[in-house]
Amino acid sequence: MTPSHDHLQRLLGHLGDADLDALLGRSMLLTTDWSTAELDAVLTLVDTFQALDDAGIRTPLCPEELHLALFFDASTRTRASWAGAAARLGARPLVVDGTSTQVSHGETAAETGTMLGMTAHALGVRHDLILGEGNTFMREMRSGLDAYLAATGSERRVPIVNLQCDVDHPTQTLADLAWLRERFPEGVAGKKIAVSWAYSPSYAKPLSVPQGLITLLTRFGAHVALAHPEGYDLIPETVAAARASAEASGGSFRQVSAMDDAFRDADIVYPKSWGPYDLMLQRVGANRAGDKAALAEIERQALERNRAHTDWICDERRMGLTKNGEALYLHCLPADIGAEVTPDVMEKAVVDVAREANKKLYVIMALLAAAKVEDLATTLERLVAG
Ligand code: CP
């Protein structure tokens, strides 16, 4: 038996112990909607799908289905991961530019959910640019679709996967956690993780990645330090959730105002940019009013604000502050090289961050298979047995 078969058998054993039936029909809209045991089961599925793929074992669990993703923002990795996951599950992927739909003419989220969900077998959505809107849009899609399915007596399972909203980026943070569990097989409990703001000249980035990280990693016993300059706060509810989770898990959560403080003695660092909180809030009204000039002015101010913090960069000196000077560098990508991170730090990490990104494909496979396939553990065992 080869090591990969041993690894697969171990994973299948863990899946046999997990309550996968509890995941049937589930949508992933926020990781905080799922229990830690459920997330743990998803992470085991992630490892299983990757091991199956590595072993060349095909997984056509959703044959001839349509897996449709709606993107209201740019994407390279998540879009490709959605398509790659569909292909490996035997489904057909369709990626739709959200701005090309009738949403731009006032179609409601509930109607969009119903129309797409009656056609497709699984839905993904990225809607991350405006605070207060993206996750609400996804929940309204879910409600509209559920009401339609109930009214028509349909028992179809059409999960919705959040491919990044204003609050969370679950497929990213689960990919990050899957990568961390590969690098630290003992788990992230007790590990010191720096989630830090970093300078960006490119655009005012969403808050969802740092929010998703602090709410997820604290549930698994990590010691999370969140660093940012004054004015770059996150949504208060996400910070409160991180504090509560850290207390419950035996981890810890602290907020600091210097990148060095977060980096000191860290096992893992995750430096990335996000927009100033007050300006991100101002975008809400400007967007509702359709005021493009106001949105452009807010963006200009955000970048000007960022320019006051060009020293918030992940460089060799800061990496030297971490545990033994060799913390694992993470980034959701794309990174602003020369701004968020120096070229030399990125050059050393370039393969690692690609492997981190690659996990997202298996996260999407895991979420969709768990939501759609009955007796999933047995089905996977049969695929391995050939
Ligand atoms: N990290 C991430 O979500 O990448 P994309 O924006 O390219 O999908």
Side-chain angles (χ1 to χ4, degrees):
M1 201 172 261
T2 62
S4 70
H5 271 88
D6 287 345
H7 180 50
L8 260 174
Q9 292 302 335
R10 259 196 311 279
L11 290 167
L12 291 173
H14 290 315
L15 285 182
D17 297 336
D19 183 10
L20 293 182
D21 283 350
L23 308 184
L24 281 170
R26 292 283 292 277
S27 290
M28 171 53 83
L29 301 184
L30 292 175
T31 62
T32 50
D33 294 339
W34 291 47
S35 73
T36 308
E38 289 166 346
L39 295 174
D40 220 52
V42 168
L43 289 163
T44 305
L45 278 171
V46 171
D47 294 345
T48 308
F49 278 113
Q50 183 161 19
L52 288 164
D53 204 19
D54 289 348
I57 297 172
R58 295 170 74 84
T59 51
L61 303 174
C62 305
E64 303 304 326
E65 290 195 351
L66 176 64
H67 290 184
L68 190 156
L70 192 58
F71 277 80
F72 289 94
D73 194 9
S75 168
T76 300
R77 278 145 289 273
T78 312
R79 214 160 21 177
S81 298
W82 180 266
R88 284 165 177 77
L89 290 172
R92 293 160 197 266
L94 176 63
V95 175
V96 175
D97 172 4
T99 61
S100 72
T101 66
Q102 295 288 14
V103 173
S104 59
H105 292 156
E107 177 179 276
T108 66
E111 185 173 328
T112 307
T114 305
M115 296 300 133
L116 299 185
M118 66 169 63
T119 311
H121 303 86
L123 299 175
V125 188
R126 171 168 289 191
H127 192 317
D128 62 340
L129 291 174
I130 306 296
L131 282 179
E133 292 196 2
N135 202 263
T136 302
F137 183 89
M138 293 174 198
R139 286 183 192 279
E140 288 174 5
M141 279 180 72
R142 177 75 273 164
S143 300
L145 177 54
D146 283 344
Y148 169 78
L149 293 174
T152 55
S154 171
E155 294 187 354
R156 295 173 66 237
R157 295 190 186 106
V158 187
I160 300 180
V161 178
N162 175 351
L163 299 176
Q164 190 171 8
C165 72
D166 52 317
V167 181
D168 199 357
H169 191 350
T171 62
Q172 179 64 50
T173 57
L174 288 167
D176 297 334
L177 184 51
W179 171 235
L180 288 177
R181 283 159 56 126
E182 180 176 327
R183 289 298 298 259
F184 300 99
E186 69 276 22
V188 298
K191 295 282 183 259
K192 292 184 178 168
I193 306 180
V195 176
S196 177
W197 189 87
Y199 169 60
S200 167
S202 59
Y203 74 108
K205 302 184 184 192
L207 280 49
S208 42
V209 170
Q211 289 171 169
L213 288 169
I214 63 168
T215 50
L216 181 65
L217 298 173
T218 47
R219 296 177 69 185
F220 289 85
H223 297 298
V224 177
L226 173 69
H228 59 79
E230 196 181 332
Y232 287 81
D233 303 281
L234 301 178
I235 296 175
E237 288 80 3
T238 66
V239 174
R243 277 192 207 295
S245 294
E247 200 162 312
S249 73
S252 64
F253 176 76
R254 64 193 173 101
Q255 267 181 288
V256 296
S257 54
M259 204 171 182
D260 283 7
D261 284 350
F263 269 50
R264 204 162 280 118
D265 207 30
D267 300 283
I268 296 144
V269 296
Y270 204 130
K272 84 166 296 295
S273 199
W274 61 87
Y277 192 61
D278 63 324
L279 293 177
M280 299 303 259
L281 284 174
Q282 280 185 34
R283 281 218 302 224
V284 177
N287 184 60
R288 270 198 200 133
D291 189 340
K292 288 198 167 64
L295 285 167
E297 172 56 17
I298 291 166
E299 184 67 9
R300 189 196 65 73
Q301 287 180 31
L303 295 185
E304 185 177 290
R305 197 87 68 82
N306 284 4
R307 274 198 295 279
H309 308 289
T310 54
D311 53 333
W312 284 65
I313 184 166
C314 178
D315 57 11
E316 291 286 8
R317 183 192 69 76
R318 285 203 165 100
M319 289 302 282
L321 298 174
T322 68
K323 189 173 281 174
N324 303 322
E326 42 187 45
L328 183 65
Y329 169 88
L330 268 68
H331 198 290
C332 55
L333 302 178
D336 285 325
I337 298 170
E340 291 180 301
V341 58
T342 55
D344 47 355
V345 171
M346 182 50 102
E347 195 179 323
K348 285 183 193 153
V350 73
V351 175
D352 275 352
V353 289
R355 294 178 69 191
E356 175 190 355
N358 188 225
K359 297 281 184 192
K360 192 179 287 178
L361 156 63
Y362 303 109
V363 169
I364 294 170
M365 287 181 80
L367 290 169
L368 295 185
K372 298 191 66 72
V373 181
E374 285 179 30
D375 297 324
L376 180 56
T378 312
T379 306
L380 293 173
E381 273 171 31
R382 286 202 192 106
L383 288 174
V384 172

